[in-house]
């Protein structure tokens, strides 16, 4: 981002600054950018709310990158001042009126002066080094930007190297043919790769040979940067495209990070499909590369069997890819295409670009999970983090750090690991055997906690005492009799030895029906493993009793059956949390196989604390952030953030006030008070009243009507009641009725049919005026789906979708909050949590309509409790300001008819 940036429009910022913008921004965008700039400059933690359709992404890009450009300019000016020639002439002079005195009592003035001069000299030397490094990088990138010949030369060199390596490998294989391999038992090359390598614990470990030179090369100063993260791959790609279109698109060094699943270009590895398998295979190939280096250095020692290495993991090729990434803004798809073209790994190449990048775009998981963050080489110290689509940030952190394993998985892992240990006992070192025995013991004890025995089929073991029990981590470990095992060491062993990957390879090789094994004894053992896996599979199929799911789900099931240890590693890792921050849930069902152990994180703030501590500023942004009390109290306050450091910003919508009509309806057409509590909502008169409201609305609302119910069960119950009473037939005369499916793979089809029906009705005219979509709060259509224009002319919320307070997990969370948090405005923290969870869900659902400046819709909240001040104030500000509370249906219906007729007349003019 050198110098000025051309722009289609510019917005005045703080202190008269103007923000480059691709067009003339809305006033609310100008305010958003000014507030964002101020928060970054002051090092605040900001909660920013900007409704969908108000250009939030562009405001974030232009506001944040304007700040970064100014910071870089200030840094350059400061460097120039310190490195100016006249500075060196003044260095020896003391400033008058400032006698030299040291911070340490008793030190002579000349010592203090000497130390200060030394500090200044060191600083100047450091700045000179930084300047040289920066100039080298800029020159290198400039050459690549303007010299196409350089690209072709690099490509030609890579092709020549590939050919040389191929010939060299062929020669080595010819030379080694016929040579005997001195091992206890001859295994073929593929099976050799299944054996665990020698493991050294942290105390014994020295730096692995072949790693240190790479690390030296990679150590590069991290420039000031912005980390932008969002929930999904598609949201990140959309953000990168916005950057490309912005005035900063040409001269911002941006790097997109992703998982190996998204970035791997090695087809052999990609074919594994599941993320955990891809991760482990990639790590194994890297390990093989470093082992290969050390083997080549020790040619005199006995020859090892050659191991597979990744052809894309070449440092030179990845350096070239890194520079290409920094030269021009690329999204994930473009990055993968570049990796294939340059034969370089985009996953590691993009990571090498992090130090020099100004903007790093990455998924939530990579930033919020500390081990993943460290592995990626992300350094947050004094940097800026922007977390977008953050309305579910607390849930996201909780989910990332929670884990669940079933009794079937525990028994299956025990069986697999026992078979593996028996097969390779003679080849495994003592350290490996020790850790494998510890893992087997842990699995045995965990199954015992569920009331089972690892040596029996879990699907056939009935559980005597069913139900759910919650325990603290320490109590669980003590009662499991595993409190004497160091889980940190076991977790590290699993991570470094890649045992789950080896085990998966073993099961892949011997779990099938057609196996070629050498001895009868082994045949019996491995046949036993096959039979056991088969009975487990049949048992889980019987338990499920459901039709076959989509291919993705089948693939995941296959992974869970084939490599349960991968799941269990996550559970072991979760158990290393502090005792007060989580609970272990023992869920005992009909059989041991159906039972499960789950770790529930109660305090997500412990994992967010490091982010806010290290960063210069953190911005939590979203379209609907209300109610913000959760973020302030559960996340920021618990993470130790001073209340004075937190700043809130919420802007209105770009639509004119007359384009939205939110109504809180307190009673229906038959004067039945609308209060959908668990006790009253099942009453026939309540379901009838909802039917009457919808029948009236469908007569006056054109296009699509989306009606949200609190749960799938209630929607099903109401639908069946309407079918019986004839309401459904009356509704179907005006609108074609669609129901939200439970299965994810059917959502797209329902939405396409729904949109097609609305379009057809608007073109054909006649009695049918559109479609009615019956949806569920928290379901597939309450988040991320766009009901713009005719797809959502009216959004209806039936009742208040409070969570199920009988859930053991929620009860534990409520108890924990009441113990650890102060009362707010006379309310218990648990009560506030329940209300906030309800209103977050409502705000997400009603936010599906009104997606751009010219859009219009009515919003109907069916429950008199929405009018209570504590609830009403938790609606988004731009909706709250325009909401009308209607005690009776007549006046509400008159307003709705007037609103939609007025809009219909305007659109026809």
């Amino acid at each position: 981002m050198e110098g000025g940036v051309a722009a289609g429009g510019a917005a005045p910022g703080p202190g008269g600054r103007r923000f480059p913008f691709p067009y003339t921004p809305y006033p609310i965008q100008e305010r958003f950018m000014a507030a964002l700039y101020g928060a970054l400059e002051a090092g605040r933690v900001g909660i920013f709310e900007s409704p969908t359709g108000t250009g939030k992404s562009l405001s974030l890009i232009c506001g944040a990158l304007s700040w970064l450009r100014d910071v870089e300019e200030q840094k350059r000016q400061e460097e120039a001042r310190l490195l100016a020639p006249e500075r060196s002439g003044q260095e020896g002079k003391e400033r008058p009126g400032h006698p030299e005195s040291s911070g340490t009592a008793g030190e002579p003035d000349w010592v203090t002066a000497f130390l200060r001069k030394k500090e200044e000299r060191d600083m100047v030397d450091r700045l000179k080094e930084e300047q040289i490094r920066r100039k080298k990088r800029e020159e290198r990138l400039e050459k690549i930007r303007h010299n196409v010949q350089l690209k072709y030369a690099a490509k030609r060199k890579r092709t020549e190297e590939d050919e040389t390596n191929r010939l060299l490998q062929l020669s080595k294989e010819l030379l080694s043919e016929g040579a005997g391999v001195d091992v206890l038992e001859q295994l073929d090359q593929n099976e050799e790769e299944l054996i665990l390598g020698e493991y050294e614990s942290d105390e014994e470990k020295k730096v692995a040979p072949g790693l240190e030179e790479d690390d030296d090369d990679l150590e590069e100063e991290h420039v000031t940067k912005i980390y932008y993260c969002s929930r999904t791959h598609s949201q990140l790609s959309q953000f990168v495209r916005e950057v490309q279109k912005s005035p900063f698109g040409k001269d911002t060094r941006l790097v997109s990070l992703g998982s190996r699943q998204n970035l791997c270009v090695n087809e052999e590895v990609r074919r594994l499909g599941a993320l955990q398998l891809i991760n482990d295979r990639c790590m194994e190939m890297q390990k093989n590369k470093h082992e290969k280096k050390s083997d080549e250095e020790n040619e005199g020692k006995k020859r090892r069997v050659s191991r597979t290495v990744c052809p894309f993991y070449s440092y030179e090729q990845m350096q070239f890819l890194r520079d290409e990434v920094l030269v021009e803004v690329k999204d994930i798809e473009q990055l993968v295409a570049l990796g294939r073209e340059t034969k370089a790994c985009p996953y590691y190449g993009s990571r090498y670009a992090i130090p020099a990048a100004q903007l790093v775009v990455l998924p939530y998981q990579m930033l919020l999970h500390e081990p993943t963050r460290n592995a990626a080489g992300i350094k947050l110290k004094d940097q800026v983090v922007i977390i977008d689509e953050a309305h579910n940030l607390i849930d996201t952190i909780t989910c990332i750090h929670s884990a669940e394993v079933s009794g079937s998985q525990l028994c299956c892992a025990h069986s697999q690991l026992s078979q593996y240990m028996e097969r390779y006992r003679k080849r495994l070192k003592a350290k490996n055997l020790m850790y494998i025995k510890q893992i087997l013991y842990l699995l045995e004890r965990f199954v015992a906690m569920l009331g089972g025995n690892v040596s029996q089929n879990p699907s056939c073991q009935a559980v005597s005492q069913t139900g759910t029990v919650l325990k603290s981590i320490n109590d669980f470990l003590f009662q499991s009799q595993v409190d004497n095992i160091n889980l940190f060491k076991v977790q590290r062993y699993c991570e470094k030895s890649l045992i789950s990957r080896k085990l998966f390879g073993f099961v892949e090789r011997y779990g099938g029906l057609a196996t070629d094994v050498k001895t009868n004894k082994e045949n019996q053992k491995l046949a036993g493993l096959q039979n056991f896996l088969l009975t487990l599979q049949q048992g889980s199929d019987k338990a499920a009793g459901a039709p076959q799911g989509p291919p993705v789900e089948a693939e995941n099931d296959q992974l869970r059956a084939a490599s349960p240890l991968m799941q269990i590693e996550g559970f072991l890792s979760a158990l290393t949390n502090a005792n007060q921050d989580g609970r272990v849930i023992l869920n005992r069902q009909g059989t041991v196989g159906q039972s499960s152990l789950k770790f529930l994180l109660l305090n997500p703030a412990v994992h967010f604390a490091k982010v806010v501590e290290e960063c210069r500023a953190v911005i939590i942004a979203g379209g609907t952030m209300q109610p913000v009390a959760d973020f302030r109290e559960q996340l920021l306050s618990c993470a130790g953030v001073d209340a004075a450091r937190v700043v809130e910003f919420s802007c209105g919508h770009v639509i004119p006030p007359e384009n939205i009509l939110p109504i809180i309806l307190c009673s229906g057409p038959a004067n039945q008070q609308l209060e959908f509590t668990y006790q009253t909502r099942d009453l026939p008169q309540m379901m009838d009243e909802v039917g009457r409201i919808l029948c009236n609305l469908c007569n006056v609302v054109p296009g699509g009507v989306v009606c949200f119910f609190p749960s799938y069960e209630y929607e099903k119950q109401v639908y069946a009641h309407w079918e019986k009473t004839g309401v459904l037939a009356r509704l179907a005369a005006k609108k074609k009725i669609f129901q939200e499916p439970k299965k994810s793979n059917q959502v797209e089809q329902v939405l396409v049919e729904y949109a097609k029906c609305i379009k057809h009705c608007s073109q054909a005219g006649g009695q049918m005026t559109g479609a009615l979509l019956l949806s569920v709060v928290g379901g597939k259509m309450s988040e991320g789906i766009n009901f713009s224009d005719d797809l959502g002319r009216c959004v209806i919320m039936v009742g208040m979708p409070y969570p199920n307070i009988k859930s053991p997990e929620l009860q534990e969370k409520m108890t924990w909050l009441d113990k650890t948090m102060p009362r707010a405005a006379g309310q218990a923290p648990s009560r506030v949590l329940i209300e906030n969870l309800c209103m977050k869900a409502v705000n997400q659902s009603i936010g599906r309509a009104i997606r751009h400046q010219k859009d219009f819709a009515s919003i109907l909240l069916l429950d008199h409790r929405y009018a209570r001040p504590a609830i009403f104030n938790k609606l988004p500000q731009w909706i709250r300001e325009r909401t009308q509370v209607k005690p009776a249906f007549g006046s509400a219906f008159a307003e709705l008819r007037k609103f939609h007729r007025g809009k219909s007349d305007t659109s026809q003019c």
Side-chain angles (χ1 to χ4, degrees):
M1 267 184 311
E2 329 301 338
V5 182
R17 285 185 193 87
R18 300 189 76 77
F19 294 104
F21 214 75
Y23 52 82
T24 304
Y26 301 125
I28 59 169
Q29 288 177 312
E30 292 173 2
R31 290 199 296 277
F32 185 103
M33 289 186 287
L36 177 64
Y37 191 108
L40 298 181
E41 187 64 22
R44 299 293 191 88
V45 174
I47 302 171
F48 277 64
E49 182 180 55
S50 180
T52 306
T54 55
K56 170 169 57 77
S57 295
L58 263 177
S59 302
L60 281 169
I61 291 163
C62 297
L65 291 178
S66 293
W67 171 82
L68 186 62
R69 181 193 60 186
D70 291 351
V71 164
E72 287 175 347
E73 185 53 41
Q74 284 166 16
K75 197 174 176 185
R76 270 195 290 272
Q77 287 172 7
E78 182 65 12
E79 272 181 24
R81 187 182 67 76
L82 286 169
L83 297 173
E86 59 267 30
R87 172 76 183 157
S88 59
Q90 292 171 1
E91 258 183 356
K93 298 175 189 174
E94 290 179 11
R95 280 176 289 176
H98 291 276
E100 299 296 343
S101 62
S102 125
T104 310
E107 278 190 1
D109 289 351
W110 66 268
V111 173
T112 311
F114 173 79
L115 288 171
R116 198 170 65 197
K117 282 175 192 172
K118 187 178 184 305
E119 279 173 17
E120 285 178 1
R121 276 198 301 273
D122 289 348
M123 190 178 178
V124 168
D125 289 345
R126 194 168 64 248
L127 287 172
K128 279 180 182 172
E129 279 175 27
E130 275 181 31
Q131 205 175 49
I132 290 164
R133 260 202 302 265
R134 190 174 65 244
K135 278 182 179 171
K136 272 187 182 175
R137 182 180 66 232
E138 285 168 3
E139 282 167 13
R140 191 175 71 236
L141 297 182
E142 202 57 32
K143 269 185 191 173
I144 291 173
R145 198 175 274 120
H146 297 297
N147 191 349
V148 183
Q149 292 303 314
L150 204 70
K151 290 185 187 181
Y152 290 120
K155 206 170 176 182
R156 191 168 62 249
K157 189 183 175 200
R158 281 194 304 279
T159 312
E160 287 167 4
E161 280 174 0
D162 286 352
E163 186 59 21
T164 308
N165 289 337
R166 194 179 68 81
L167 293 170
L168 194 66
Q169 187 60 34
L170 275 172
S171 308
K172 280 184 180 177
E173 283 170 13
L174 284 168
L175 283 170
S176 62
E177 264 181 22
V181 182
D182 180 24
V183 289
L184 290 168
E185 182 187 356
Q186 290 209 3
L187 302 172
D188 65 29
Q189 181 186 336
N190 290 338
E191 193 167 3
E192 185 78 30
E193 291 193 357
L194 299 179
I195 296 169
L196 289 159
E198 191 167 349
Y199 179 74
E200 292 175 329
S201 60
D202 286 345
E203 299 92 81
E204 309 161 317
K205 200 160 188 182
K206 298 178 181 73
V207 178
L211 281 173
E212 55 280 44
E213 67 271 24
D214 283 9
D215 287 351
D216 287 345
D217 287 344
L218 296 181
E219 199 54 55
E220 194 181 336
E221 194 72 27
H222 280 240
V223 302
T224 303
K225 66 179 88 282
I226 295 163
Y227 288 99
Y228 170 90
C229 64
S230 192
R231 275 188 314 146
T232 65
H233 171 65
S234 59
Q235 284 167 344
L236 293 171
S237 290
Q238 178 61 36
F239 179 81
V240 173
R241 285 193 287 275
E242 292 280 351
V243 174
Q244 287 169 334
K245 287 187 287 184
S246 80
F248 298 91
K250 292 275 183 253
D251 47 16
T252 296
R253 297 191 302 276
L254 178 148
V255 58
S256 293
L257 301 181
S259 66
R260 288 181 176 90
Q261 206 169 24
N262 288 324
L263 289 175
C264 180
V265 288
N266 184 331
E267 286 307 320
E268 180 207 325
V269 179
R270 280 176 69 85
R271 273 198 297 271
L272 292 168
L275 177 62
Q276 186 67 53
L277 295 178
I278 291 172
N279 283 346
D280 284 357
R281 183 64 179 141
C282 174
M283 296 291 286
E284 188 178 40
M285 284 176 146
Q286 276 185 70
K287 205 173 173 188
N288 292 346
K289 186 180 178 75
H290 294 306
E291 281 176 6
K292 192 177 172 188
K293 274 189 185 178
S294 65
D295 286 347
E296 284 167 6
E297 286 163 16
N298 304 318
E299 284 283 344
K301 295 183 183 176
K302 71 179 177 191
R303 179 184 163 272
R304 288 175 66 97
V305 174
S306 67
R307 294 169 183 267
T308 315
V309 296
C310 182
F312 296 91
Y313 189 75
S314 154
Y315 184 54
E316 267 193 35
Q317 287 159 229
M318 289 188 293
Q319 272 186 315
F320 179 76
L321 183 131
R322 172 199 66 188
D323 293 344
E324 281 282 338
V325 164
L326 294 172
V327 160
E328 188 182 18
V329 172
K330 290 175 178 63
D331 64 17
I332 293 275
E333 286 75 19
Q334 292 165 325
L335 185 56
V336 169
L338 179 66
R340 288 203 174 100
E341 186 196 332
T342 57
K343 287 197 168 180
C345 174
Y347 179 75
Y348 284 102
S350 59
R351 287 174 177 216
Y352 292 165
I354 293 172
Q358 294 162 312
L359 181 55
V360 179
V361 177
L362 69 167
Y364 274 1
Q365 167 82 19
M366 207 171 271
L367 185 110
L368 298 172
H369 188 242
E370 193 180 354
T372 310
R373 193 164 70 230
N374 294 341
I378 293 164
K379 294 180 181 176
L380 297 181
K381 187 73 180 149
D382 298 330
Q383 307 292 17
V384 167
V385 162
I386 297 174
I387 302 170
D388 201 1
E389 299 299 327
H391 56 269
N392 59 354
L393 180 60
I394 294 171
D395 292 342
T396 302
I397 298 170
T398 303
C399 288
I400 288 171
H401 297 92
S402 296
E404 186 171 17
V405 286
S406 69
S408 271
Q409 288 172 323
L410 292 165
C411 289
C412 188
H414 189 279
S415 174
Q416 290 177 6
L417 200 52
S418 303
Q419 301 279 356
Y420 177 88
M421 188 174 75
E422 283 304 311
R423 167 92 178 133
Y424 301 120
R425 185 183 282 276
K426 293 177 186 173
R427 299 291 305 273
L428 295 170
K429 301 286 182 187
K431 203 76 164 256
N432 282 314
L433 283 170
M434 181 193 82
Y435 277 111
I436 288 174
K437 283 175 180 173
Q438 282 191 356
I439 296 166
L440 286 170
Y441 178 69
L442 285 168
L443 296 174
E444 190 182 316
R445 296 310 309 156
F446 290 165
V447 172
M449 285 297 281
L450 291 174
N453 187 321
V454 283
S455 58
Q456 294 171 26
N457 190 325
S459 303
C460 304
Q461 293 183 68
V463 174
S464 53
Q465 290 180 314
T466 57
T468 303
V469 182
L470 282 98
K471 295 184 183 294
S472 70
I473 300 172
N474 288 351
D475 284 350
F476 173 75
L477 296 176
F478 184 73
Q479 287 169 31
S480 304
Q481 298 169 18
V482 297
D483 50 316
N484 58 333
I485 290 178
N486 187 330
L487 290 178
F488 289 93
K489 282 191 171 184
V490 173
Q491 181 201 348
R492 184 154 182 80
Y493 171 76
C494 290
E495 188 187 314
K496 294 294 174 189
S497 68
L498 302 172
I499 187 167
S500 56
R501 165 68 210 170
K502 306 285 185 184
L503 197 57
F504 177 77
F506 172 70
V507 174
E508 209 176 23
R509 187 177 176 89
Y510 292 120
L513 294 172
T515 9
D516 176 28
V517 194
K518 296 184 175 76
T519 68
N520 287 334
K521 194 176 177 185
E522 281 167 2
N523 256 324
Q524 287 162 11
K525 285 179 188 172
L526 296 164
L529 172 62
Q530 290 160 18
N531 292 337
F532 183 72
L533 289 175
L534 200 62
T535 54
L536 279 183
Q537 190 60 51
Q538 287 165 349
S540 61
D541 288 346
K542 280 176 195 166
Q548 201 173 350
V552 177
E553 287 171 20
E555 179 194 281
N556 289 339
D557 289 343
Q558 182 190 347
L559 169 64
R560 280 196 289 272
S563 188
L565 191 60
M566 291 178 183
Q567 292 276 111
I568 293 158
E569 282 179 21
F571 181 69
L572 290 175
S573 174
L575 290 178
T576 60
N577 275 279
N579 184 53
Q580 68 272 19
D581 293 330
R583 295 288 180 272
V584 179
I585 302 168
L586 283 74
N587 186 15
R588 298 188 181 111
Q589 296 298 323
T591 66
V592 170
Q594 292 166 329
S595 302
S596 66
L597 296 173
K598 181 176 182 179
F599 174 80
L600 171 68
L601 180 72
L602 293 175
N603 184 12
V606 291
H607 296 286
F608 195 60
K610 202 154 187 186
V611 175
V612 287
E613 271 169 34
E614 291 191 344
C615 290
R616 175 198 175 109
V618 176
I619 303 298
I620 302 168
T624 308
M625 298 298 287
Q626 289 293 338
V628 295
D630 280 3
F631 296 104
R632 274 188 169 276
E633 287 148 29
Q634 282 189 54
L635 205 56
L636 303 179
S637 176
C638 286
V641 180
D642 185 353
R645 193 186 169 199
V646 182
V647 62
E648 281 180 39
F649 175 86
S650 179
C651 64
H653 212 294
V654 290
I655 59 160
E658 62 272 14
N659 277 21
I660 182 172
L661 177 63
I663 291 176
I664 293 170
L665 187 58
C666 300
S667 58
N671 290 323
Q672 172 73 48
Q673 189 189 42
L674 299 176
E675 185 174 351
F676 294 86
T677 62
Y678 284 111
Q679 292 76 31
T680 61
R681 70 184 193 180
D682 297 342
L683 296 171
Q685 59 263 39
M686 291 298 286
M687 294 189 274
D688 289 339
E689 201 72 326
V690 176
R692 282 191 282 269
I693 292 167
L694 278 174
C695 285
N696 279 292
L697 285 179
C698 288
N699 284 328
V700 296
V701 178
V705 175
V706 184
C707 182
F708 285 103
F709 289 88
S711 67
Y712 282 104
E713 290 68 33
Y714 189 57
E715 185 264 332
K716 206 173 168 183
Q717 188 182 345
V718 172
Y719 190 88
H721 179 77
W722 287 350
E723 214 165 17
K724 233 188 310 179
T725 57
V727 170
L728 210 59
R730 292 208 300 279
L731 283 170
K734 278 286 178 187
K735 306 269 185 195
K736 186 173 178 183
I737 299 167
F738 293 87
Q739 286 176 279
E740 178 178 322
K742 265 195 170 182
K743 288 190 176 176
S744 308
N745 61 328
Q746 295 171 353
V747 170
E748 189 66 33
Q749 187 188 343
V750 171
L751 286 172
V752 167
E753 292 298 321
Y754 172 74
K756 208 186 282 181
C757 173
I758 291 167
K759 191 177 179 184
H760 173 75
C761 290
S762 69
Q763 288 170 350
Q767 194 185 354
M768 288 282 281
T769 61
L772 169 64
L773 178 60
L774 305 178
S775 297
V776 175
V777 176
K780 312 288 182 298
M781 294 180 184
S782 64
E783 268 194 57
I785 304 289
N786 184 346
F787 291 114
S788 62
D789 302 317
D790 273 355
L791 295 181
R793 288 302 178 205
C794 182
V795 176
I796 301 161
M797 179 65 62
V798 178
M800 298 187 70
Y802 282 110
N804 177 14
I805 55 168
K806 289 181 182 172
S807 150
E809 296 178 28
L810 186 56
Q811 282 183 343
E812 192 64 25
K813 178 85 176 180
M814 289 163 70
T815 307
W816 180 82
L817 282 173
D818 285 342
K819 279 182 188 171
T820 55
M821 305 287 291
R823 290 175 75 85
Q827 270 192 312
S830 55
R831 180 69 203 160
V832 175
L833 170 75
I834 296 298
E835 278 184 5
N836 287 350
L837 287 172
C838 168
M839 290 310 292
K840 269 188 195 300
V842 168
N843 293 341
Q844 278 305 307
S845 300
I846 61 179
R848 299 305 92 214
I850 310 285
R851 310 297 284 185
H852 58 85
Q853 192 185 15
K854 291 179 181 174
D855 208 351
F856 66 89
S858 54
I859 295 168
L860 206 54
L861 304 174
L862 306 185
D863 202 305
H864 75 96
R865 292 174 293 172
Y866 282 110
R868 291 176 184 168
I871 301 292
F872 184 76
N873 289 330
K874 287 174 181 174
L875 286 167
Q877 188 186 339
W878 65 278
I879 291 179
R880 193 168 66 231
E881 286 169 351
R882 304 165 193 189
T883 301
Q884 300 178 29
V885 179
K886 297 287 182 183
F889 180 74
S891 59
F893 184 68
E895 283 284 347
L896 283 159
R897 185 170 51 195
K898 183 179 155 191
F899 175 81
H900 285 288
R901 279 189 179 166
K903 292 297 167 195
S904 167
D905 294 344
T906 311
S907 61
Q908 285 169 12
C909 292

